[in-house]
Amino acid sequence: MVQSSEKPEMKYGEREIEEGKLLTFPNPRPGRRYDIHITLPEFTCKCPFSGYPDFATIYVSYVPDGRVVELKAIKLYINSYRDRYISHEESINQILDDLVAACDPLEMKVKGDFTPRGNVHTVIEVSHRK
């Protein structure tokens, strides 16, 4: 079998993930306090020590101020972690930092509930308040 040295063309989904940014839009109800809850059950990243894959469900809850995060954009953003070597603790803190920078909410919590590996179950929760 002859192996090609050409790099395979990126699929459209891979391009969208690579190009993806956290997009926002104006809060449709400014001045009204309400909660937004987003569940992202297919989070993956890689352990920075072993390279083994880690899996988690990410829960985002926030009270918007002037901007709301667009859902397709957050899906693509979360998928960008799949090949990243990053600890559980750093990934959840980074997600919070990036979401806060994108939409500047009144309050936000991010929780990562990681699938047990080696009989260890990790849950990381971080929060932000204006």
Side-chain angles (χ1 to χ4, degrees):
M1 178 187 221
V2 177
Q3 298 229 346
S4 173
S5 62
E6 291 182 35
K7 186 176 180 183
E9 184 178 330
M10 288 181 84
K11 309 289 188 223
Y12 75 89
E14 293 169 323
R15 283 192 305 274
E16 285 184 344
I17 290 167
E18 187 175 275
E19 297 166 3
K21 294 181 180 154
L22 283 170
L23 304 175
T24 63
F25 59 92
N27 182 351
R29 295 290 183 190
R32 176 177 286 167
R33 190 174 175 85
Y34 64 98
D35 297 320
I36 297 173
H37 301 280
I38 302 168
T39 302
L40 302 149
E42 298 177 349
F43 178 83
T44 63
C45 63
K46 292 182 179 178
C47 174
F49 306 105
S50 69
Y52 291 144
D54 285 316
F55 304 93
T57 298
I58 306 296
Y59 300 92
V60 177
S61 299
Y62 70 105
V63 178
D65 193 3
R67 310 286 303 167
V68 174
V69 176
E70 197 273 326
L71 294 177
K72 182 178 179 185
I74 196 170
K75 174 188 78 171
L76 295 172
Y77 166 79
I78 287 297
N79 284 335
S80 74
Y81 280 82
R82 71 177 178 204
D83 292 323
R84 192 183 301 185
Y85 295 94
I86 189 168
S87 69
H88 298 170
E89 297 80 4
E90 180 58 21
S91 63
I92 302 309
N93 276 283
Q94 188 62 57
I95 291 167
L96 177 69
D97 290 348
D98 292 345
L99 289 170
V100 167
C103 69
D104 193 25
L106 295 174
E107 296 176 28
M108 181 174 278
K109 288 184 182 182
V110 177
K111 175 179 166 182
D113 187 349
F114 287 83
T115 302
R117 184 159 46 92
N119 200 32
V120 177
H121 179 213
T122 307
V123 177
I124 310 295
E125 292 184 58
V126 294
S127 60
H128 161 82
R129 184 180 301 242
K130 243 187 196 182

